[in-house]
Amino acid sequence: MDFETFPVLGNSQVVLDRAVVQAWPSLGCEPPVGASVFGFFRALSEVLAAARGPGAPAMVAAVMGHVDYLAAKADCVAAALLNGDPFSTTPQVIIDALANIAALLRAPWPGVAPAGTTGLPAEVESLIIEAEGRLPGWCSRQKAVCLAETVLAERPLVCVEIGIFGGRSLVPVAAALRQNGAGAIYGIEAWSPAVAVENTTNAANDDWWSTVDFDRIKHDFYRFIVDMSLARQVRVIEAPSARAAGLFDTIDFLHIDGSHSVLNAAEDVILYARRVRPGGIVVFDDVNWNSTALARGLLESLCEPVRMLTDVVTGKDMCAVLRRRGGSPTC
Ligand SMILES: C[S@@+](CC[C@H](N)C(=O)[O-])C[C@H]1O[C@@H](n2cnc3c(N)ncnc32)[C@H](O)[C@@H]1O
């Protein structure tokens, strides 16, 4: 694998090796000595071939969605990946694929998800699991449950998410709103490589976002919303976030997960967090990135911490839930 071409995340090989070791137990066994990403996919093919039961076809299809995506990024075919053939692409793409596939293998399979696994109402839980299987993105099960729990508890009416991507984090909020019987989530998303890299975050990140197939991601998102009858809860504003802020007088629940560049992340806090009503909720993702530190500081001057989601392996802060302090709800 050509890591020289894709210098990302400091020592890429170490990070990738760790991701392989973390993902491997989802195959049902411990990683062998010298576990490699190619070995993971070879072992994955055996797990998929052996999958049985009513939920197996849906689970296999969901996993293959991530395999196909990775194969397209690596400019090869899925069969080659599953054969254990060497391939090359950005390490972050591989790490995301490993995490998504491992989450699917660990989850109750789509279509047979038993109610009560997460403590959420069954319909909310099954929508979260369905989204994990069908939509690309970075919203972990832990974060999805946290978003849904918060919306169920706080009963917000005006929810805003900056950065829909494939909808993985928007769906848990929409599902909880449907359960509540009131409220809508306004998703703000440009679905544009040019907007995504308008201000630099880091070279590898910008490189990745420049080649994303946003048309397919947008199409699959809309298809999902229609298929799952969530259209009443979801409003999409397809625009750069800075252009849409003026549409909102008061926000009850805000999820900031758009561009992670220093400038855009801080701008999203300045333009949107001040519109959250006193007592309203702000969720801020990727708080541990260097590029989001300024935005995090700004947010902490406006809000009280409520809860922090941490990486289960590293213990690092990942996603902050905060409550807006008293004061004027608008700029
Ligand atoms: C980290 S992803 C969102 C992930 C998603 N919330 C999830 O959990 O899977 C960030 C998204 O923000 C979008 N984005 C980046 N800059 C933006 C901007 N200035 N305005 C609107 N959307 C933007 C990108 O297109 C991308 O889809």
Side-chain angles (χ1 to χ4, degrees), residues 37-239:
V37 69
F38 312 126
F40 177 90
F41 282 99
R42 196 170 46 245
L44 175 66
S45 73
E46 289 166 21
V47 170
L48 296 182
R52 297 281 180 277
M59 184 278 283
V60 171
V63 169
M64 284 308 296
H66 294 292
V67 174
D68 287 338
Y69 185 78
L70 178 60
K73 287 285 175 189
D75 202 17
C76 66
V77 293
L81 249 71
L82 293 174
N83 195 38
D85 293 355
F87 61 91
S88 173
T89 185
T90 316
Q92 191 61 54
V93 172
I94 304 170
I95 291 165
D96 291 343
L98 289 170
N100 283 324
I101 290 168
L104 283 169
L105 295 176
R106 287 192 183 107
W109 293 351
V112 291
T117 310
T118 61
L120 293 169
E123 273 197 22
V124 177
E125 181 183 271
S126 70
L127 274 165
I128 288 173
I129 293 168
E130 196 74 24
E132 275 176 12
R134 281 180 51 184
L135 303 175
W138 295 269
C139 185
S140 65
R141 173 72 61 87
Q142 180 196 23
K143 180 176 168 185
V145 170
C146 170
L147 290 169
E149 279 174 355
T150 306
V151 169
L152 291 168
E154 301 282 333
R155 302 187 68 83
L157 295 179
V158 178
C159 303
V160 174
E161 176 175 277
I162 305 170
I164 299 175
F165 191 62
R168 277 275 286 270
S169 55
L170 181 138
V171 166
V173 174
L177 290 172
R178 190 169 75 181
Q179 183 76 24
N180 287 348
I185 175 151
Y186 295 82
I188 300 167
E189 170 61 63
W191 282 309
S192 151
V195 173
V197 299
E198 181 192 11
N199 294 296
T200 190
T201 302
N202 61 58
N205 183 80
D206 297 353
D207 181 45
W208 192 87
W209 283 105
S210 308
T211 59
V212 170
D213 182 356
F214 277 116
D215 287 343
R216 184 186 130 191
I217 285 162
K218 176 166 67 169
H219 173 274
D220 291 351
F221 166 71
Y222 279 121
R223 178 84 266 155
F224 187 91
I225 296 302
V226 171
D227 287 354
M228 298 297 136
S229 304
L230 286 169
R232 284 175 68 113
Q233 284 73 34
V234 178
R235 312 270 183 277
V236 175
I237 301 167
E238 192 171 346

Side-chain angles (χ1 to χ4, degrees), residues 262 287-294:
V262 175
V287 289
N288 61 339
W289 287 37
N290 289 339
S291 60
T292 60
L294 174 63

